[in-house]
Amino acid sequence: MHHTLAPITAPIPVRASSTDDPVELLRFAIDAHSLGAAALATLVDIRGGAARALGAHMAVAADGQFCGYVSGGCVEAAVATEALLAMAQGCDRTVKFGDGSPFFDIVLPCGGGISVAIHVLKDVGALRHVLDRLERRQAAGLAYSPGQQALEPVEPLPRAQWLERDFVTVYRPRTRVVLSGQTIEAQAVARLAEASGYDVIAVAPGGVRPVADIIDPFTAVVLLHHELDAEAAILEIALASPGFYIGALGSTRTHRRRVERLRAMAFRRDDIARIKAPIGMFGPTRDATSLALSVLADVAAARLVAYA
């Protein structure tokens, strides 16, 4: 009795989720590796314009499922296909797309080109190291060596870049928003911040003392009070903190009074200048939703400036 062997077909790439959160991508890669095999694709070169920053990731499982982005969505299926081939061969590869690429049928809308390094994961210790540091709200770095086809933890650099023959990716904790104010504006900011994936901590009236411990360099402090007295205690803590953004509700006139108070308390001019007031990117606003959009746009822009 003869048996006919069915041809072995490669899995078809299928997007598993639309996330671009590095924590979720690394967890996906760790889970996929535990089930068989996984690859981590990293954007390591940009020629001209690009939709993503250097260091952007995709994670690809052996069954074809993938998540993450290295472009605006136009090359991800092709990257996943290359990753599946890399896994089948057990060997890393770097692939070019767009300008300077052998894939003539893939043209990036921005007109530029990108290079993507695909690493077949041998172990996930380095990925677990990154997740552990982020869990403790510390920045992390991963160095990828194409020559050794290996990942190893390193101290984070200011930004993702090539360091001699290694490409170093940088990871930072998600933005935390410490929110003070029992107002409709505060409720709107909290809802929108949570929907944006921020870590939101609402400070109850009088619950000021523990706040100093939760304002780290990746924290924005948003004060939405209608009286200066109500914000005074937490504002003093915020000004002594490493938070990357401090914003306070109130008119230009109100802010002048705020500045006078702080100067009378011997706060330095540079410290006072950290306060964004009136709060928000655009204004004045006349409803809570518009204010929330204005505030969170300002927070997002400040984070980009602080950690480009």
Side-chain angles (χ1 to χ4, degrees), residues 30 36 42-43 60 137 139 179 223:
I30 290 169
T42 306
L43 177 59
V60 186
R137 292 193 61 80
L179 186 60
L223 307 176

Side-chain angles (χ1 to χ4, degrees), residues 15 22 30 67 71 102-103 112 117-118 120 122 126 148 158 194 201 218 230 261-262 296 306:
R15 179 169 288 284
I30 290 169
C67 58
S71 77
F103 297 97
I118 297 170
V120 180
K122 300 175 183 67
Q148 297 182 0
E194 284 169 359
I201 298 178
F218 309 101
R261 280 182 167 211
L262 292 169
L296 291 173

Side-chain angles (χ1 to χ4, degrees), residues 82-137:
E82 293 289 328
L84 290 167
L85 291 170
M87 281 184 266
Q89 295 173 0
C91 186
D92 291 4
R93 56 176 61 190
T94 297
V95 190
K96 290 183 177 181
F97 296 95
D99 184 40
S101 164
F103 297 97
F104 298 111
D105 55 336
I106 298 178
V107 179
L108 303 188
C110 48
I114 60 174
S115 296
V116 179
I118 297 170
H119 172 57
V120 180
L121 290 169
K122 300 175 183 67
D123 65 76
V124 293
L127 304 192
R128 292 192 189 280
H129 167 83
V130 172
L131 292 180
D132 179 58
R133 283 188 68 102
L134 292 177
E135 183 73 25
R136 289 183 278 130
R137 292 193 61 80

Side-chain angles (χ1 to χ4, degrees), residues 36-245:
L40 190 67
T42 306
L43 177 59
V44 297
D45 184 47
I46 296 171
R47 299 175 296 283
R52 298 275 160 176
L54 283 177
H57 282 317
M58 282 177 57
V60 186
D63 64 1
Q65 291 197 77
F66 68 90
C67 58
Y69 294 86
V70 292
S71 77
C74 45
V75 305
E76 278 69 12
V79 170
T81 298
E82 293 289 328
L84 290 167
L85 291 170
M87 281 184 266
Q89 295 173 0
C91 186
D92 291 4
R93 56 176 61 190
T94 297
V95 190
K96 290 183 177 181
F97 296 95
D99 184 40
S101 164
F103 297 97
F104 298 111
D105 55 336
I106 298 178
V107 179
L108 303 188
C110 48
I114 60 174
S115 296
V116 179
I118 297 170
H119 172 57
V120 180
L121 290 169
K122 300 175 183 67
D123 65 76
V124 293
L127 304 192
R128 292 192 189 280
H129 167 83
V130 172
L131 292 180
D132 179 58
R133 283 188 68 102
L134 292 177
E135 183 73 25
R136 289 183 278 130
R137 292 193 61 80
Q138 297 172 348
L142 268 190
Y144 169 63
S145 168
Q148 297 182 0
Q149 301 197 10
L151 283 173
E152 65 171 323
V154 292
E155 281 301 305
L157 298 174
R159 64 187 60 83
Q161 59 188 276
W162 284 96
L163 196 63
E164 297 179 358
R165 296 183 181 180
D166 292 349
F167 184 82
V168 178
T169 305
V170 183
Y171 308 84
R172 295 189 183 90
R174 70 177 59 204
T175 298
R176 169 175 285 168
V177 177
V178 169
L179 186 60
S180 178
Q182 303 297 304
T183 58
I184 184 174
E185 293 91 350
Q187 294 168 22
V189 170
R191 283 196 304 271
L192 195 57
E194 284 169 359
S196 301
Y198 292 164
D199 175 22
V200 181
I201 298 178
V203 181
V208 168
R209 185 161 295 166
V211 172
D213 300 329
I214 58 176
I215 304 176
D216 60 23
F218 309 101
T219 298
V221 180
V222 175
L223 307 176
L224 299 175
H225 296 273
H226 291 302
E227 297 94 24
L228 291 179
D229 288 342
E231 72 177 28
I234 189 168
L235 179 57
E236 290 175 40
I237 290 171
L239 288 172
S241 80
F244 73 89
Y245 178 91

